[in-house]
Amino acid sequence: MKKLNVGVVGVGAMGHNHVRVYTRLKNANLLAVSDLMKGTLAEVSKKYNTVGFVDYDNVLKMPEIDAVSVCVPTTYHYEVVMSAIEQGKHVLVEKPIAFTLKEAKDMVRAARKEGVKLATGHVERFNPAVLEAKKLLRDKLIGEVVSVSAKRVGPFPPRIKDVGVTIDLAIHEVDVMAYLLDSPVSKVYAHVGSRLEKCEYEDHAEIMMEFYNNAIGMLEVNWLTPYKKRQLEVTGTDGIISLDYIDQTVEIFGKNARNVRVPHHEPLMEELDSFLNAIMLDEKPKITGEDGIHALKTVLAAMKSAKEKIPVKIDID
């Protein structure tokens, strides 16, 4: 099997996972990693027997590298991704795609101009439970979809320092709901708040969305719950599909009630494998930069809605 030479910029918690997965993929050859934290960099480089640089430009300037994962804090996405694109590298950037919409749109335009792939790391799309739910919806097992509700809650993660719970957690559900419904969000209304002294941003959010296909989405996210829960339900005219992201289980209630057998896979493994295959086959990535823009646009609209206490319409570009 042909292998692509890859690098990882940012090897903190998420970047470390990218490194681990790349070393296991048959279509990847990890050549180099980068991180500003010298201790973390040395640990990861030694563990995975790869070259490590403090300056990420050293990774991007390696002519043999075909693609990179960008796993730095969100505020640095634009700088690193644009540099990678200028060097002719294909890029998978972790969610959210960028800190601002302008940055995200500039990144998409630059990738298109340079002829490289730009994928956004919305890993839950590759969760086997989500993929199975998509098949069930396509087969109309619960009739016509009326609404989708999701709950993504858990304790505060100290490593998150540059964004609040809306951009960190709600963005997952926004992307999954749009994927399951085959429709972008048309309007959003949200309430957010902050109760934790150790969190500089909002630590809980309740969001209602209308989609262009007239379905409704309801979402609760927080960093207040002492246990982790990741669940989603789709209500249709003939039943409900209930999925658990963590257990990777799917159950149907109603007319076609059953427990659905779901083969378990690591979502990140599937995501990175898909990204590399898109490069080798010259296909559009499963989750594009445009998908990343939609998710970012929606959560930013939710923040605006919460601040101004009004519903916010979202236009399709």
Short mmCIF file of all heavy atoms in Angstrom, two decimals, residues 122-138 148 150 152 172-181 230-234 241-251 260-265 267 287:
data_model
loop_
_atom_site.label_atom_id
_atom_site.label_comp_id
_atom_site.label_asym_id
_atom_site.label_seq_id
_atom_site.Cartn_x
_atom_site.Cartn_y
_atom_site.Cartn_z
N HIS A 122 -13.86 17.26 12.54
CA HIS A 122 -15.07 16.99 13.31
C HIS A 122 -15.21 15.47 13.46
O HIS A 122 -15.95 14.82 12.73
CB HIS A 122 -16.29 17.60 12.61
CG HIS A 122 -16.35 19.09 12.72
ND1 HIS A 122 -16.76 19.73 13.87
CD2 HIS A 122 -16.02 20.07 11.84
CE1 HIS A 122 -16.70 21.04 13.69
NE2 HIS A 122 -16.25 21.27 12.47
N VAL A 123 -14.49 14.95 14.44
CA VAL A 123 -14.29 13.50 14.55
C VAL A 123 -15.56 12.71 14.81
O VAL A 123 -15.66 11.54 14.41
CB VAL A 123 -13.22 13.21 15.63
CG1 VAL A 123 -13.77 13.52 17.03
CG2 VAL A 123 -12.71 11.79 15.53
N GLU A 124 -16.58 13.31 15.43
CA GLU A 124 -17.78 12.55 15.76
C GLU A 124 -18.54 12.09 14.52
O GLU A 124 -19.33 11.15 14.58
CB GLU A 124 -18.71 13.37 16.66
CG GLU A 124 -18.19 13.60 18.07
CD GLU A 124 -18.17 12.37 18.95
OE1 GLU A 124 -18.10 11.22 18.42
OE2 GLU A 124 -18.22 12.53 20.18
N ARG A 125 -18.29 12.70 13.38
CA ARG A 125 -18.91 12.23 12.14
C ARG A 125 -18.46 10.81 11.81
O ARG A 125 -19.13 10.10 11.06
CB ARG A 125 -18.53 13.13 10.98
CG ARG A 125 -19.38 14.36 10.94
CD ARG A 125 -20.11 14.48 9.62
NE ARG A 125 -20.13 15.89 9.27
CZ ARG A 125 -19.97 16.34 8.05
NH1 ARG A 125 -19.76 15.52 7.06
NH2 ARG A 125 -20.02 17.63 7.83
N PHE A 126 -17.30 10.44 12.34
CA PHE A 126 -16.76 9.11 12.06
C PHE A 126 -17.08 8.12 13.17
O PHE A 126 -16.63 6.98 13.15
CB PHE A 126 -15.25 9.18 11.84
CG PHE A 126 -14.88 9.92 10.58
CD1 PHE A 126 -14.71 11.29 10.58
CD2 PHE A 126 -14.73 9.23 9.38
CE1 PHE A 126 -14.39 11.97 9.41
CE2 PHE A 126 -14.41 9.90 8.21
CZ PHE A 126 -14.24 11.27 8.22
N ASN A 127 -17.86 8.56 14.16
CA ASN A 127 -18.29 7.66 15.23
C ASN A 127 -19.23 6.62 14.62
O ASN A 127 -20.18 6.97 13.92
CB ASN A 127 -19.02 8.46 16.31
CG ASN A 127 -19.29 7.64 17.55
OD1 ASN A 127 -19.93 6.59 17.49
ND2 ASN A 127 -18.82 8.13 18.69
N PRO A 128 -18.97 5.33 14.83
CA PRO A 128 -19.81 4.29 14.23
C PRO A 128 -21.30 4.44 14.54
O PRO A 128 -22.14 4.11 13.70
CB PRO A 128 -19.26 3.00 14.83
CG PRO A 128 -17.86 3.30 15.19
CD PRO A 128 -17.86 4.75 15.61
N ALA A 129 -21.63 4.97 15.72
CA ALA A 129 -23.03 5.16 16.07
C ALA A 129 -23.67 6.23 15.20
O ALA A 129 -24.83 6.10 14.79
CB ALA A 129 -23.15 5.54 17.55
N VAL A 130 -22.93 7.28 14.90
CA VAL A 130 -23.44 8.35 14.03
C VAL A 130 -23.61 7.82 12.60
O VAL A 130 -24.63 8.08 11.95
CB VAL A 130 -22.49 9.56 14.03
CG1 VAL A 130 -22.91 10.60 12.99
CG2 VAL A 130 -22.46 10.21 15.42
N LEU A 131 -22.65 7.06 12.13
CA LEU A 131 -22.73 6.50 10.77
C LEU A 131 -23.91 5.55 10.64
O LEU A 131 -24.60 5.53 9.62
CB LEU A 131 -21.42 5.78 10.43
CG LEU A 131 -20.18 6.68 10.34
CD1 LEU A 131 -18.92 5.83 10.14
CD2 LEU A 131 -20.31 7.69 9.20
N GLU A 132 -24.16 4.77 11.71
CA GLU A 132 -25.30 3.85 11.68
C GLU A 132 -26.62 4.61 11.71
O GLU A 132 -27.57 4.27 10.99
CB GLU A 132 -25.22 2.89 12.87
CG GLU A 132 -26.22 1.75 12.83
CD GLU A 132 -26.05 0.85 11.61
OE1 GLU A 132 -24.89 0.58 11.24
OE2 GLU A 132 -27.08 0.43 11.04
N ALA A 133 -26.67 5.67 12.52
CA ALA A 133 -27.89 6.50 12.57
C ALA A 133 -28.17 7.12 11.21
O ALA A 133 -29.33 7.23 10.79
CB ALA A 133 -27.74 7.58 13.64
N LYS A 134 -27.13 7.53 10.51
CA LYS A 134 -27.28 8.12 9.18
C LYS A 134 -27.93 7.11 8.22
O LYS A 134 -28.83 7.45 7.45
CB LYS A 134 -25.91 8.55 8.66
CG LYS A 134 -25.92 9.17 7.27
CD LYS A 134 -26.56 10.54 7.25
CE LYS A 134 -26.36 11.22 5.90
NZ LYS A 134 -27.01 12.53 5.84
N LYS A 135 -27.48 5.86 8.29
CA LYS A 135 -28.06 4.81 7.43
C LYS A 135 -29.54 4.60 7.76
O LYS A 135 -30.37 4.47 6.86
CB LYS A 135 -27.31 3.50 7.63
CG LYS A 135 -25.89 3.49 7.13
CD LYS A 135 -25.23 2.15 7.45
CE LYS A 135 -23.74 2.17 7.12
NZ LYS A 135 -23.08 0.90 7.52
N LEU A 136 -29.87 4.57 9.04
CA LEU A 136 -31.25 4.35 9.46
C LEU A 136 -32.15 5.49 9.00
O LEU A 136 -33.30 5.27 8.59
CB LEU A 136 -31.32 4.20 10.99
CG LEU A 136 -30.56 3.01 11.57
CD1 LEU A 136 -30.56 3.08 13.10
CD2 LEU A 136 -31.14 1.69 11.10
N LEU A 137 -31.64 6.72 9.07
CA LEU A 137 -32.42 7.87 8.61
C LEU A 137 -32.60 7.82 7.10
O LEU A 137 -33.67 8.14 6.58
CB LEU A 137 -31.72 9.17 9.02
CG LEU A 137 -31.74 9.49 10.51
CD1 LEU A 137 -30.84 10.69 10.80
CD2 LEU A 137 -33.16 9.77 10.99
N ARG A 138 -31.56 7.40 6.40
CA ARG A 138 -31.65 7.30 4.95
C ARG A 138 -32.71 6.27 4.53
O ARG A 138 -33.40 6.42 3.53
CB ARG A 138 -30.28 6.91 4.39
CG ARG A 138 -30.15 7.03 2.88
CD ARG A 138 -28.77 6.64 2.42
NE ARG A 138 -27.76 7.57 2.88
CZ ARG A 138 -26.67 7.22 3.56
NH1 ARG A 138 -26.47 5.95 3.87
NH2 ARG A 138 -25.79 8.12 3.91
N VAL A 148 -34.15 16.88 16.50
CA VAL A 148 -32.96 16.21 17.02
C VAL A 148 -32.58 16.89 18.33
O VAL A 148 -32.59 18.13 18.42
CB VAL A 148 -31.77 16.32 16.05
CG1 VAL A 148 -30.62 15.44 16.53
CG2 VAL A 148 -32.17 15.93 14.63
N ALA A 150 -29.65 16.75 21.70
CA ALA A 150 -28.37 16.19 22.11
C ALA A 150 -27.95 16.75 23.45
O ALA A 150 -28.28 17.89 23.80
CB ALA A 150 -27.30 16.49 21.05
N ARG A 152 -24.33 16.92 25.64
CA ARG A 152 -22.87 16.69 25.69
C ARG A 152 -22.35 17.44 26.91
O ARG A 152 -22.12 18.66 26.87
CB ARG A 152 -22.22 17.18 24.39
CG ARG A 152 -20.72 16.95 24.31
CD ARG A 152 -20.19 17.29 22.93
NE ARG A 152 -20.61 16.32 21.94
CZ ARG A 152 -19.87 15.30 21.50
NH1 ARG A 152 -18.65 15.14 21.98
NH2 ARG A 152 -20.34 14.46 20.60
N HIS A 172 -19.54 20.21 18.02
CA HIS A 172 -19.65 18.79 17.64
C HIS A 172 -21.08 18.48 17.21
O HIS A 172 -21.31 17.87 16.15
CB HIS A 172 -19.31 17.89 18.83
CG HIS A 172 -17.85 17.73 19.10
ND1 HIS A 172 -16.98 17.12 18.23
CD2 HIS A 172 -17.10 18.10 20.17
CE1 HIS A 172 -15.76 17.10 18.74
NE2 HIS A 172 -15.81 17.70 19.92
N GLU A 173 -22.02 18.86 18.05
CA GLU A 173 -23.42 18.51 17.79
C GLU A 173 -23.99 19.28 16.60
O GLU A 173 -24.81 18.75 15.85
CB GLU A 173 -24.27 18.77 19.03
CG GLU A 173 -23.79 18.06 20.28
CD GLU A 173 -23.67 16.55 20.12
OE1 GLU A 173 -24.34 15.98 19.24
OE2 GLU A 173 -22.91 15.94 20.88
N VAL A 174 -23.56 20.51 16.43
CA VAL A 174 -24.00 21.29 15.27
C VAL A 174 -23.61 20.56 13.99
O VAL A 174 -24.43 20.39 13.07
CB VAL A 174 -23.37 22.71 15.28
CG1 VAL A 174 -23.58 23.40 13.95
CG2 VAL A 174 -23.96 23.54 16.42
N ASP A 175 -22.37 20.10 13.93
CA ASP A 175 -21.90 19.41 12.72
C ASP A 175 -22.62 18.08 12.53
O ASP A 175 -23.04 17.74 11.41
CB ASP A 175 -20.39 19.19 12.79
CG ASP A 175 -19.87 18.50 11.54
OD1 ASP A 175 -19.84 19.15 10.48
OD2 ASP A 175 -19.51 17.31 11.62
N VAL A 176 -22.77 17.31 13.60
CA VAL A 176 -23.44 16.00 13.49
C VAL A 176 -24.90 16.17 13.07
O VAL A 176 -25.40 15.43 12.21
CB VAL A 176 -23.34 15.22 14.82
CG1 VAL A 176 -24.27 14.01 14.81
CG2 VAL A 176 -21.90 14.76 15.06
N MET A 177 -25.60 17.13 13.68
CA MET A 177 -27.01 17.33 13.33
C MET A 177 -27.16 17.73 11.86
O MET A 177 -28.03 17.22 11.15
CB MET A 177 -27.63 18.40 14.23
CG MET A 177 -27.86 17.94 15.66
SD MET A 177 -28.67 19.25 16.64
CE MET A 177 -28.72 18.48 18.26
N ALA A 178 -26.31 18.65 11.40
CA ALA A 178 -26.38 19.06 9.99
C ALA A 178 -26.10 17.89 9.07
O ALA A 178 -26.73 17.74 8.01
CB ALA A 178 -25.38 20.19 9.74
N TYR A 179 -25.18 17.02 9.47
CA TYR A 179 -24.84 15.82 8.69
C TYR A 179 -26.01 14.85 8.66
O TYR A 179 -26.40 14.35 7.59
CB TYR A 179 -23.60 15.17 9.30
CG TYR A 179 -23.29 13.79 8.78
CD1 TYR A 179 -22.93 13.59 7.45
CD2 TYR A 179 -23.33 12.68 9.63
CE1 TYR A 179 -22.62 12.32 6.97
CE2 TYR A 179 -23.04 11.41 9.17
CZ TYR A 179 -22.68 11.24 7.83
OH TYR A 179 -22.38 9.96 7.38
N LEU A 180 -26.59 14.57 9.81
CA LEU A 180 -27.70 13.63 9.87
C LEU A 180 -28.92 14.13 9.12
O LEU A 180 -29.65 13.35 8.50
CB LEU A 180 -28.08 13.35 11.33
CG LEU A 180 -27.05 12.57 12.17
CD1 LEU A 180 -27.54 12.45 13.62
CD2 LEU A 180 -26.79 11.19 11.59
N LEU A 181 -29.14 15.42 9.17
CA LEU A 181 -30.33 16.01 8.55
C LEU A 181 -30.13 16.42 7.09
O LEU A 181 -31.08 16.76 6.40
CB LEU A 181 -30.78 17.25 9.33
CG LEU A 181 -31.25 16.99 10.77
CD1 LEU A 181 -31.47 18.32 11.49
CD2 LEU A 181 -32.53 16.16 10.78
N ARG A 230 -22.58 11.79 26.49
CA ARG A 230 -22.58 12.18 25.08
C ARG A 230 -23.69 11.41 24.39
O ARG A 230 -23.49 10.29 23.93
CB ARG A 230 -21.24 11.84 24.42
CG ARG A 230 -19.99 12.35 25.15
CD ARG A 230 -19.77 13.82 24.83
NE ARG A 230 -18.50 14.32 25.32
CZ ARG A 230 -18.32 14.94 26.46
NH1 ARG A 230 -19.34 15.09 27.29
NH2 ARG A 230 -17.13 15.42 26.81
N GLN A 231 -24.87 12.01 24.29
CA GLN A 231 -26.02 11.30 23.72
C GLN A 231 -26.79 12.18 22.75
O GLN A 231 -26.79 13.41 22.86
CB GLN A 231 -26.95 10.82 24.84
CG GLN A 231 -26.30 9.76 25.74
CD GLN A 231 -27.21 9.33 26.87
OE1 GLN A 231 -28.08 10.07 27.30
NE2 GLN A 231 -26.99 8.13 27.37
N LEU A 232 -27.46 11.52 21.80
CA LEU A 232 -28.26 12.23 20.81
C LEU A 232 -29.48 11.41 20.45
O LEU A 232 -29.41 10.17 20.38
CB LEU A 232 -27.42 12.50 19.55
CG LEU A 232 -28.09 13.22 18.37
CD1 LEU A 232 -27.11 14.19 17.71
CD2 LEU A 232 -28.61 12.23 17.33
N GLU A 233 -30.61 12.09 20.26
CA GLU A 233 -31.85 11.42 19.85
C GLU A 233 -32.46 12.14 18.66
O GLU A 233 -32.50 13.37 18.62
CB GLU A 233 -32.87 11.40 20.99
CG GLU A 233 -32.55 10.38 22.07
CD GLU A 233 -33.72 10.19 23.03
OE1 GLU A 233 -34.65 11.01 23.02
OE2 GLU A 233 -33.68 9.21 23.79
N VAL A 234 -32.92 11.34 17.71
CA VAL A 234 -33.62 11.88 16.54
C VAL A 234 -35.07 11.42 16.62
O VAL A 234 -35.34 10.22 16.69
CB VAL A 234 -33.00 11.38 15.22
CG1 VAL A 234 -33.69 12.08 14.03
CG2 VAL A 234 -31.50 11.61 15.19
N ILE A 241 -34.63 7.44 17.11
CA ILE A 241 -33.31 6.82 17.09
C ILE A 241 -32.52 7.44 18.23
O ILE A 241 -32.39 8.66 18.32
CB ILE A 241 -32.57 7.06 15.76
CG1 ILE A 241 -33.29 6.36 14.61
CG2 ILE A 241 -31.12 6.58 15.85
CD1 ILE A 241 -32.72 6.72 13.24
N SER A 242 -32.00 6.60 19.12
CA SER A 242 -31.21 7.07 20.25
C SER A 242 -29.79 6.52 20.13
O SER A 242 -29.60 5.32 19.93
CB SER A 242 -31.84 6.60 21.57
OG SER A 242 -31.06 7.01 22.67
N LEU A 243 -28.80 7.42 20.23
CA LEU A 243 -27.41 6.94 20.13
C LEU A 243 -26.58 7.46 21.29
O LEU A 243 -26.82 8.55 21.82
CB LEU A 243 -26.79 7.30 18.78
CG LEU A 243 -26.40 8.75 18.46
CD1 LEU A 243 -25.01 9.11 19.00
CD2 LEU A 243 -26.43 8.99 16.96
N ASP A 244 -25.58 6.67 21.64
CA ASP A 244 -24.61 7.04 22.67
C ASP A 244 -23.23 7.08 22.01
O ASP A 244 -22.75 6.07 21.51
CB ASP A 244 -24.63 6.02 23.82
CG ASP A 244 -23.81 6.46 25.00
OD1 ASP A 244 -22.59 6.65 24.83
OD2 ASP A 244 -24.37 6.61 26.10
N TYR A 245 -22.62 8.27 22.00
CA TYR A 245 -21.32 8.43 21.36
C TYR A 245 -20.23 7.61 22.07
O TYR A 245 -19.34 7.08 21.42
CB TYR A 245 -20.89 9.90 21.40
CG TYR A 245 -21.67 10.85 20.55
CD1 TYR A 245 -22.68 11.65 21.10
CD2 TYR A 245 -21.38 11.01 19.20
CE1 TYR A 245 -23.37 12.56 20.32
CE2 TYR A 245 -22.08 11.93 18.42
CZ TYR A 245 -23.07 12.70 18.99
OH TYR A 245 -23.75 13.62 18.22
N ILE A 246 -20.29 7.57 23.39
CA ILE A 246 -19.23 6.92 24.16
C ILE A 246 -19.31 5.41 24.03
O ILE A 246 -18.30 4.74 23.74
CB ILE A 246 -19.30 7.34 25.64
CG1 ILE A 246 -19.08 8.85 25.78
CG2 ILE A 246 -18.25 6.58 26.45
CD1 ILE A 246 -19.31 9.39 27.17
N ASP A 247 -20.49 4.85 24.24
CA ASP A 247 -20.66 3.39 24.14
C ASP A 247 -20.77 2.91 22.69
O ASP A 247 -20.71 1.71 22.44
CB ASP A 247 -21.92 2.96 24.89
CG ASP A 247 -21.81 3.22 26.39
OD1 ASP A 247 -20.67 3.34 26.88
OD2 ASP A 247 -22.86 3.31 27.05
N GLN A 248 -20.96 3.86 21.77
CA GLN A 248 -21.14 3.54 20.35
C GLN A 248 -22.30 2.56 20.16
O GLN A 248 -22.18 1.54 19.50
CB GLN A 248 -19.85 3.00 19.74
CG GLN A 248 -18.71 4.00 19.74
CD GLN A 248 -17.46 3.53 19.03
OE1 GLN A 248 -17.40 2.42 18.52
NE2 GLN A 248 -16.44 4.37 19.00
N THR A 249 -23.44 2.93 20.76
CA THR A 249 -24.65 2.10 20.66
C THR A 249 -25.77 2.89 20.01
O THR A 249 -25.81 4.12 20.09
CB THR A 249 -25.12 1.64 22.05
OG1 THR A 249 -25.31 2.79 22.89
CG2 THR A 249 -24.09 0.71 22.69
N VAL A 250 -26.67 2.18 19.34
CA VAL A 250 -27.83 2.78 18.69
C VAL A 250 -29.05 1.93 18.99
O VAL A 250 -29.00 0.70 18.92
CB VAL A 250 -27.63 2.88 17.16
CG1 VAL A 250 -28.90 3.41 16.49
CG2 VAL A 250 -26.44 3.76 16.82
N GLU A 251 -30.15 2.59 19.32
CA GLU A 251 -31.40 1.89 19.59
C GLU A 251 -32.55 2.63 18.91
O GLU A 251 -32.57 3.86 18.86
CB GLU A 251 -31.64 1.81 21.09
CG GLU A 251 -32.75 0.86 21.50
CD GLU A 251 -32.82 0.64 23.00
OE1 GLU A 251 -31.96 1.20 23.73
OE2 GLU A 251 -33.72 -0.09 23.45
N VAL A 260 -29.71 -1.88 17.61
CA VAL A 260 -28.98 -1.99 16.36
C VAL A 260 -27.54 -2.39 16.62
O VAL A 260 -26.87 -1.81 17.47
CB VAL A 260 -29.01 -0.63 15.60
CG1 VAL A 260 -28.28 -0.74 14.28
CG2 VAL A 260 -30.45 -0.18 15.38
N ARG A 261 -27.09 -3.40 15.91
CA ARG A 261 -25.70 -3.84 16.06
C ARG A 261 -24.77 -2.83 15.40
O ARG A 261 -24.92 -2.51 14.22
CB ARG A 261 -25.51 -5.21 15.43
CG ARG A 261 -24.12 -5.79 15.65
CD ARG A 261 -23.98 -7.19 15.04
NE ARG A 261 -22.65 -7.69 15.21
CZ ARG A 261 -21.62 -7.40 14.40
NH1 ARG A 261 -21.81 -6.59 13.38
NH2 ARG A 261 -20.43 -7.91 14.61
N VAL A 262 -23.82 -2.33 16.17
CA VAL A 262 -22.88 -1.32 15.66
C VAL A 262 -21.45 -1.85 15.83
O VAL A 262 -21.01 -2.10 16.94
CB VAL A 262 -23.02 0.02 16.42
CG1 VAL A 262 -22.03 1.04 15.88
CG2 VAL A 262 -24.45 0.54 16.32
N PRO A 263 -20.72 -2.04 14.73
CA PRO A 263 -19.31 -2.45 14.84
C PRO A 263 -18.48 -1.31 15.42
O PRO A 263 -18.54 -0.19 14.92
CB PRO A 263 -18.91 -2.76 13.40
CG PRO A 263 -19.85 -1.96 12.56
CD PRO A 263 -21.13 -1.87 13.32
N HIS A 264 -17.73 -1.56 16.48
CA HIS A 264 -16.98 -0.51 17.14
C HIS A 264 -15.66 -0.22 16.42
O HIS A 264 -14.94 -1.14 16.03
CB HIS A 264 -16.70 -0.90 18.60
CG HIS A 264 -17.91 -0.85 19.46
ND1 HIS A 264 -17.85 -0.70 20.83
CD2 HIS A 264 -19.23 -0.91 19.16
CE1 HIS A 264 -19.09 -0.68 21.32
NE2 HIS A 264 -19.92 -0.81 20.32
N HIS A 265 -15.38 1.07 16.24
CA HIS A 265 -14.12 1.52 15.65
C HIS A 265 -13.70 2.80 16.35
O HIS A 265 -14.53 3.50 16.94
CB HIS A 265 -14.28 1.82 14.16
CG HIS A 265 -14.71 0.66 13.34
ND1 HIS A 265 -13.90 -0.41 13.06
CD2 HIS A 265 -15.89 0.39 12.72
CE1 HIS A 265 -14.55 -1.29 12.32
NE2 HIS A 265 -15.77 -0.83 12.10
N PRO A 267 -13.07 6.48 16.15
CA PRO A 267 -13.41 7.52 15.18
C PRO A 267 -12.21 8.26 14.60
O PRO A 267 -12.17 8.54 13.40
CB PRO A 267 -14.31 8.47 15.99
CG PRO A 267 -14.93 7.59 17.02
CD PRO A 267 -13.86 6.60 17.40
N ILE A 287 -15.10 15.63 5.40
CA ILE A 287 -15.49 16.85 6.12
C ILE A 287 -14.61 17.98 5.61
O ILE A 287 -13.42 18.04 5.91
CB ILE A 287 -15.35 16.69 7.64
CG1 ILE A 287 -16.10 15.44 8.11
CG2 ILE A 287 -15.89 17.92 8.35
CD1 ILE A 287 -15.95 15.14 9.56
#
